[in-house]
Amino acid sequence: MKVNESAENYLETILILSQKRPVVRSVDIAEELGFKKSSVSVAMKNLREKNHITVTKEGYIYLTESGKEIADMIYERHQFISTWLIQLGVDEKIAAEDACRMEHIISKESFEAIKKHINMNNKPA
């Protein structure tokens, strides 16, 4: 299920947009990310070929089971890391930018260990 950072960003964006609107289209993704529609179209073709998304004849984009699994993982990492950095006193914008980079490179083992450590230390006495 290994995918590159760009694909992970697209899948995460589709997930986030699908939580805000009834349908997601390439134009919505391009607008959200500030990319050209042609670049998004190429990425959607690649994601479709890897069975991470389906695209209806109307152009509506849906995550497949594997696409949702990846998107959920990246989104959880992003939310957790950015929240943690903000709690440490990092500016919200910088925390979000750093989390966006860190979410792609951290191993599953390291992320789970950090999450376990933080959750243990944040329990009420």
Side-chain angles (χ1 to χ4, degrees):
M1 187 178 65
K2 183 73 179 141
V3 293
N4 65 30
E5 183 176 332
S6 175
E8 289 175 346
N9 278 334
Y10 279 111
L11 292 170
E12 182 184 25
T13 300
I14 294 166
L15 176 70
I16 292 166
L17 288 173
S18 69
Q19 294 169 348
K20 297 178 188 174
R21 48 181 81 212
V23 293
V24 177
R25 301 164 300 147
S26 287
V27 67
D28 303 321
I29 298 165
E31 188 178 290
E32 180 75 14
L33 296 174
F35 294 166
K36 291 184 203 163
K37 188 168 178 325
S38 58
S39 299
V40 173
S41 293
V42 169
M44 293 306 104
K45 179 180 180 278
N46 292 333
L47 291 173
R48 195 172 61 246
E49 288 172 353
K50 291 182 174 136
N51 295 315
H52 294 314
I53 63 166
T54 58
V55 182
T56 67
K57 64 182 194 301
E58 297 86 7
Y60 303 152
I61 300 166
Y62 297 96
L63 295 169
T64 62
E65 190 175 320
S66 68
K68 182 153 178 16
E69 192 176 317
I70 295 165
D72 285 341
M73 175 194 69
I74 295 299
Y75 186 65
E76 177 195 15
R77 289 178 177 191
H78 182 93
Q79 294 296 105
F80 191 88
I81 294 169
S82 62
T83 299
W84 176 48
L85 292 172
I86 291 165
Q87 288 173 347
L88 292 173
V90 177
D91 175 78
E92 199 172 313
K93 185 174 187 286
I94 294 169
E97 290 169 359
D98 287 348
C100 198
R101 289 190 294 275
M102 294 166 70
E103 68 196 22
H104 301 287
I105 60 171
I106 192 168
S107 69
K108 180 180 180 183
E109 293 77 14
S110 293
F111 178 70
E112 291 301 321
I114 291 169
K115 200 165 79 167
K116 181 179 175 184
H117 176 77
I118 291 169
N119 287 337
M120 278 180 28
N121 289 330
N122 286 338
K123 285 186 179 172

